[in-house]
Amino acid sequence: MGRIVVDTRITNLFDEDKSIRCGVLVDTGAGALILPTAWKERLGEFKRSETVSLQLANQDVLEGEACWPVEIEIEGFRPVSNEVIFVDMEGEDDNGYEPLLGYVILEQAQAAVDLVGHRLVPVRYIDMK
C-alpha cells in the first residue's frame, strides 16, 4: 500500500481557539489519532487525560497520554469528536514528525482507504452489521 497523507485539523473542544492543522499519515493498523507530545501545548488544557499503553507493530509497548475531547476534521469528511493520544516521537521540528490517523477515526468520519487510488473515499453508510 502506498502512503496516504491527509490534511487534518484537530481542535480542543473546550478551547476552540486551540487547534492544529497538519498532514497525517493514514495507518489502518493503528486505532487512534496519534500526535507527537511536542505538539500538546498547542492544543491547550484538556478536560480529561490519562496515561495509556500502546503496542507497536514490532510488539514493543510504550506509554502515551490520551486527551479529550477534541474535534478531528479530515479534509473532505465530516468532523468527529474523539480523543488524541500524544506519544514521544523522534523529530527535530514539525516536519520531522509523522502523526498517525487510525481506523477508529476513519470509520467515524465515514472514510475508507482506496488502495488503488491511494486516497480516502467516502463511505455511504455507517456500518451497523
Side-chain angles (χ1 to χ4, degrees):
M1 181 170 110
R3 293 174 52 88
I4 301 171
V5 177
V6 293
D7 186 40
T8 304
R9 187 180 70 194
I10 304 99
T11 304
N12 183 332
L13 285 175
F14 280 92
D15 188 353
E16 293 186 9
D17 291 333
K18 303 286 186 179
S19 68
I20 295 172
R21 182 175 292 277
C22 59
V24 181
L25 177 67
V26 173
D27 183 352
T28 58
L33 172 64
I34 310 293
L35 296 181
T37 301
W39 292 1
K40 184 179 177 209
E41 287 184 20
R42 293 168 51 185
L43 287 173
E45 296 292 318
F46 289 94
K47 183 80 171 173
R48 304 260 190 262
S49 72
E50 68 181 19
T51 301
V52 293
S53 296
L54 303 137
Q55 187 172 36
L56 304 178
N58 66 2
Q59 306 306 310
D60 286 350
V61 175
L62 60 92
E63 298 287 304
E65 183 180 8
C67 299
W68 69 94
V70 295
E71 179 180 77
I72 303 160
E73 187 174 1
I74 304 164
E75 185 175 2
F77 296 89
R78 71 184 191 96
V80 299
S81 297
N82 206 304
E83 67 184 18
V84 59
I85 299 177
F86 293 99
V87 297
D88 292 334
M89 292 184 181
E90 292 191 24
E92 296 178 17
D93 57 23
D94 284 355
N95 296 325
Y97 297 121
E98 192 165 66
L100 302 176
L101 181 64
Y103 68 86
V104 171
I105 308 303
L106 293 173
E107 287 183 7
Q108 283 184 300
Q110 292 181 256
V113 175
D114 173 1
L115 294 174
V116 176
H118 301 288
R119 61 191 174 120
L120 292 182
V121 295
V123 174
R124 188 173 194 174
Y125 304 108
I126 295 174
D127 192 4
M128 291 290 293
K129 296 179 244 154

